[in-house]
Amino acid sequence: EGTAIDWRFEPAGSLLLLFGARPDVSDPVFRAGRTRLALDRGWTLQARRRYRVGRNDYETVACRGKPQAAATGDWRRWLGGDFSGEAVYAVTFDSPAAGDARLDLGSVGYACTVTLNGEVVGRRFWGPYTFDLAGLLRRGANRLEVAVSNTLANAIAAPGVQQRWHDRFPPASPYEDKQRVFEQESLAGGLIGPVTLRLGRFAPAPCLRTHA
């Protein structure tokens, strides 16, 4: 009826638009306050496990390196262009108040698990990468950890892998060349950001009045 809505679909994203429905009053709504924290400094990054192409199958290798100073953005700068696996971002930040908040990770490549002060908040496999922190935020110091896993594209694109496959498993599929092109689009990984935290409160959803 003349309503126009514009939005942009991110890769692997989704959006649900619901019209004419009565909201569930038991499902609280987040009311954003004025306080907004930009978590853009003080991050560390530690590789937890690596997935690599072995002689006959993929292999999982535990990583034993220590956390290193890092920043949000493409993690290839710290982990290398051939890294496929899981790594953990961590930061300690101060909150001016305790209570409710909403965490927005921005962009992530690709799956992630969020932990705040030792408690798992949730997991996402596609955007939007937002998490409701109902009553979990502490006044003062808080510890945020984001475990991120990328795809196998980086391991497959590592030098020598494609030639090894060609030698051991001929003939190649007709789709092989196309797949290699697609993989180049997903080499960037990690906690891309920007990461922001919005303080507020969760309140009951308002009731909608209906007319006969």
Side-chain angles (χ1 to χ4, degrees), residues 7-20:
W7 73 88
R8 176 184 175 183
F9 275 117
E10 297 294 337
S14 61
L15 178 66
L16 173 64
L17 302 176
L18 184 62
F19 296 91

Side-chain angles (χ1 to χ4, degrees), residues 100-161:
D100 300 337
R102 174 163 289 169
L103 175 67
D104 188 343
L105 299 182
S107 179
V108 177
Y110 289 85
C112 67
T113 299
V114 171
T115 303
L116 181 65
N117 298 324
E119 183 171 344
V120 176
V121 175
R123 298 175 173 85
R124 296 287 185 276
F125 299 98
W126 53 75
Y129 295 95
T130 58
F131 299 83
D132 290 337
L133 311 179
L136 297 179
L137 197 64
R138 300 173 181 171
R139 182 182 179 89
N142 290 264
R143 180 71 170 179
L144 174 66
E145 296 183 355
V146 183
V148 179
S149 297
N150 64 344
T151 72
L152 288 169
N154 301 71
I156 294 172
V161 170

Side-chain angles (χ1 to χ4, degrees), residues 1-207:
E1 299 180 354
T3 300
I5 299 176
D6 297 327
W7 73 88
R8 176 184 175 183
F9 275 117
E10 297 294 337
S14 61
L15 178 66
L16 173 64
L17 302 176
L18 184 62
F19 296 91
R22 184 182 181 90
D24 183 352
V25 296
S26 65
D27 190 13
V29 175
F30 181 71
R31 308 293 187 185
R34 296 182 178 181
T35 303
R36 178 179 177 273
L37 305 178
L39 306 184
D40 53 3
R41 298 181 180 180
W43 289 93
T44 62
L45 177 62
Q46 181 180 21
R48 177 176 291 175
R49 59 180 63 89
R50 174 189 289 267
Y51 309 132
R52 67 185 184 188
V53 180
R55 181 175 178 84
N56 297 308
D57 203 347
Y58 293 104
E59 300 174 348
T60 301
V61 181
C63 299
R64 305 185 183 280
K66 297 181 179 181
Q68 57 179 314
T72 56
D74 188 351
W75 67 11
R76 288 180 293 178
R77 174 181 173 184
W78 295 276
L79 302 180
D82 62 345
F83 181 82
S84 285
E86 182 184 56
V88 179
Y89 290 83
V91 66
T92 299
F93 65 93
D94 288 328
S95 172
D100 300 337
R102 174 163 289 169
L103 175 67
D104 188 343
L105 299 182
S107 179
V108 177
Y110 289 85
C112 67
T113 299
V114 171
T115 303
L116 181 65
N117 298 324
E119 183 171 344
V120 176
V121 175
R123 298 175 173 85
R124 296 287 185 276
F125 299 98
W126 53 75
Y129 295 95
T130 58
F131 299 83
D132 290 337
L133 311 179
L136 297 179
L137 197 64
R138 300 173 181 171
R139 182 182 179 89
N142 290 264
R143 180 71 170 179
L144 174 66
E145 296 183 355
V146 183
V148 179
S149 297
N150 64 344
T151 72
L152 288 169
N154 301 71
I156 294 172
V161 170
Q162 296 180 35
Q163 185 61 46
R164 191 189 322 160
W165 282 356
H166 182 272
D167 295 340
R168 288 181 57 82
F169 308 108
S173 165
Y175 189 71
E176 188 76 15
D177 292 339
K178 295 182 176 63
Q179 181 65 22
R180 301 289 84 79
V181 174
F182 295 152
E183 287 164 354
Q184 296 300 314
E185 300 175 358
S186 59
L187 296 181
L191 179 56
I192 309 300
V195 181
T196 57
L197 189 68
R198 192 70 178 263
L199 276 64
R201 67 185 181 89
F202 286 95
C207 293

